[in-house]
């Protein structure tokens, strides 16, 4: 599930800051003047600093800034930071919108938060994705990502994962008949194609593996459906149209630069799921094989 979590999820302002953002975004020229996170600044290419800018607002209260995008890119090994590619920025924006929507739903219910041990393990797993701790630290410094903000990102990623696991994994059931059907119709033919002449393992020897694959496949499908519904009901305003192509737009009360755009196709991939499965997600695992 949550895949490509190149880590976690959102770096969002406090409740007090969010209320201020809601009021300020109504001002005609605020989009190009306001800064996020108490005047946060992002290092510019080649040195110096540039004033942060807003790129999207989700449901009128969740602000996404250019710094948010750069922070996520910094947590993905090998992704250029000097001159960020537009496709990387667009994909990251779509990812953050989905994450905001999930976390908004999670905030509606009591849920267990990550403990200190889980936080430390998640940070260690993240650092291990990089060639060295020094390289990891250089990338954080390059985009102005502080230790406190990194900790918040990791914490929210873990919260999102816990929420999705509770909402979907806890209620996902795979019957023996489903396992047998998958084994007969999918597993055996695929194994014979991939390893001609070799003996195909018996069902009892691969039962647990197939069951796990089917569970992950169902969770992914259910999560995609959940995100489609959340997008359709959301008010997503894209403030930087250069990043708007391919980014999901909500159909409920879309305002400003994002108005008039349809929500993402149901066949489109879910950035949030990609994040969790690509190994970037905190505690993420490899995506399940699809039938």
């Amino acid at each position: 599930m949550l895949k490509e979590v190149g880590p976690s999820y959102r770096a969002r302002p406090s409740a007090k800051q969010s209320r201020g953002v809601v009021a300020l975004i109504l001002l005609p020229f605020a989009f190009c003047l306001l800064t996020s996170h108490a005047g946060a600044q992002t290092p510019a290419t080649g040195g110096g600093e540039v004033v942060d800018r807003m790129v999207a607002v989700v449901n009128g209260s969740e602000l996404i800034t250019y710094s948010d995008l750069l922070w996520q890119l910094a947590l993905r090994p090998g992704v250029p930071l000097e001159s960020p590619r537009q496709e990387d920025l667009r994909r990251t924006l779509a990812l953050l919108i989905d994450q905001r929507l999930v976390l908004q739903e999670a905030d509606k219910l009591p849920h267990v938060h990550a403990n200190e041990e889980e936080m430390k393990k998640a940070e260690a797993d993240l650092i291990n994705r990089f060639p060295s701790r020094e390289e990891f630290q250089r990338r954080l410094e390059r985009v102005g990502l502080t230790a406190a903000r990194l900790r918040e990102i990791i914490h929210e990623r873990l919260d999102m994962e816990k929420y999705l696991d509770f909402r979907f994994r806890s209620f996902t059931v795979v019957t023996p008949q489903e396992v047998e059907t998958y084994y007969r119709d999918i597993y055996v033919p695929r194994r014979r194609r991939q390893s001609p002449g070799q003996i195909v393992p018996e069902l009892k020897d691969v039962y647990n593996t197939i069951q796990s694959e089917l569970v992950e496949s169902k969770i992914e499908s259910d999560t995609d459906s959940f995100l489609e519904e959340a997008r359709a009901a959301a008010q997503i305003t894209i403030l930087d149209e250069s990043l708007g192509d391919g980014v999901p737009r909500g159909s409920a009360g879309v305002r400003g630069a994002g108005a008039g755009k349809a929500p993402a196709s149901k066949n489109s991939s879910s950035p949030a799921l990609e994040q969790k499965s690509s190994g970037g997600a905190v505690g993420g695992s490899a995506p399940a094989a699809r039938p």
Side-chain angles (χ1 to χ4, degrees), residues 41-51 141-144:
Q41 292 184 315
T42 303
T45 301
E49 291 182 334
V50 294
V51 178
E141 292 173 356
R142 175 66 187 81
V143 298

Side-chain angles (χ1 to χ4, degrees), residues 1-4 169 172 174 182 186-187 190 208-221 224 273-279 284-291:
M1 281 215 34
L2 278 168
K3 302 163 181 186
E4 202 187 18
R169 188 177 301 277
T172 298
V174 173
Y182 182 92
I186 305 297
Y187 182 86
R190 182 176 63 193
N208 290 339
T209 299
I210 292 176
Q211 184 181 52
S212 296
E213 289 182 354
L214 292 178
V215 166
E216 295 302 325
S217 181
K218 284 188 174 185
I219 292 172
E220 181 173 332
S221 177
D224 280 341
L273 288 177
E274 290 176 6
Q275 185 158 345
K276 188 175 179 184
S277 62
S278 67
S285 57
R290 301 300 296 271

Side-chain angles (χ1 to χ4, degrees), residues 4 12 36 87 194 241 243 264:
E4 202 187 18
R12 57 177 177 176
S36 164
E87 63 263 31
Q194 295 175 346
E241 278 301 317
L243 302 177

Side-chain angles (χ1 to χ4, degrees), residues 10 12 101-113 159-160 162-168 170-171 226:
R10 59 181 172 177
R12 57 177 177 176
L101 293 174
V102 172
L103 286 167
Q104 286 178 359
E105 289 299 312
D107 286 344
K108 297 176 183 178
L109 300 173
H111 59 281
V112 177
H113 294 281
D159 272 8
M160 184 171 74
K162 286 176 176 288
Y163 171 74
L164 290 173
D165 279 351
F166 165 76
R167 177 155 183 163
F168 299 110
S170 301
F171 303 99
F226 160 74

Side-chain angles (χ1 to χ4, degrees), residues 192-210:
R192 286 173 177 167
R193 288 194 307 271
Q194 295 175 346
S195 305
Q198 295 187 13
I199 298 175
V200 177
E202 295 182 20
L203 174 59
K204 63 182 179 63
D205 296 325
V206 295
Y207 186 95
N208 290 339
T209 299
I210 292 176

Side-chain angles (χ1 to χ4, degrees), residues 9-15 17-18 36-37 61-64 68 71 99-100 103-107 111 113 149 152-153 155-156 159:
Y9 294 34
R10 59 181 172 177
R12 57 177 177 176
S14 65
Q17 289 173 313
S18 294
S36 164
H37 307 304
S61 61
E62 291 287 351
L63 173 65
I64 298 175
D68 290 323
W71 293 341
Q99 291 174 353
R100 297 295 199 271
L103 286 167
Q104 286 178 359
E105 289 299 312
D107 286 344
H111 59 281
H113 294 281
R149 182 61 65 187
E152 182 179 338
I153 290 174
H155 188 275
E156 290 185 333
D159 272 8

Side-chain angles (χ1 to χ4, degrees), residues 67-196:
S67 282
D68 290 323
L69 304 185
L70 292 182
W71 293 341
Q72 291 291 327
L73 293 181
L75 298 175
R76 294 170 53 192
V79 175
L81 297 178
E82 293 299 322
S83 298
R85 297 174 299 210
Q86 284 297 102
E87 63 263 31
D88 288 333
L89 292 171
R90 292 189 187 106
R91 179 177 179 179
T92 301
L93 177 56
L95 163 70
L96 287 175
I97 288 172
D98 276 0
Q99 291 174 353
R100 297 295 199 271
L101 293 174
V102 172
L103 286 167
Q104 286 178 359
E105 289 299 312
D107 286 344
K108 297 176 183 178
L109 300 173
H111 59 281
V112 177
H113 294 281
N115 57 41
E116 188 61 28
E117 182 179 351
E118 290 172 324
M119 292 285 294
K120 290 180 178 179
K121 181 180 184 304
E123 182 175 2
D125 289 345
L126 173 59
I127 294 173
N128 287 338
R129 297 174 58 219
F130 292 81
S132 66
R133 178 180 287 271
E134 291 71 24
E135 171 64 16
F136 174 74
Q137 192 60 42
R138 278 195 295 270
R139 289 179 68 86
L140 300 193
E141 292 173 356
R142 175 66 187 81
V143 298
L145 179 51
T146 65
R149 182 61 65 187
L150 173 64
R151 183 176 176 84
E152 182 179 338
I153 290 174
I154 293 174
H155 188 275
E156 290 185 333
R157 289 180 178 184
L158 289 172
D159 272 8
M160 184 171 74
E161 182 174 330
K162 286 176 176 288
Y163 171 74
L164 290 173
D165 279 351
F166 165 76
R167 177 155 183 163
F168 299 110
R169 188 177 301 277
S170 301
F171 303 99
T172 298
V173 176
V174 173
T175 66
Q177 181 60 44
E178 289 176 305
V179 175
E180 293 171 7
T181 300
Y182 182 92
Y183 175 80
R184 182 187 65 245
D185 297 341
I186 305 297
Y187 182 86
V188 171
R190 182 176 63 193
R191 183 74 180 219
R192 286 173 177 167
R193 288 194 307 271
Q194 295 175 346
S195 305

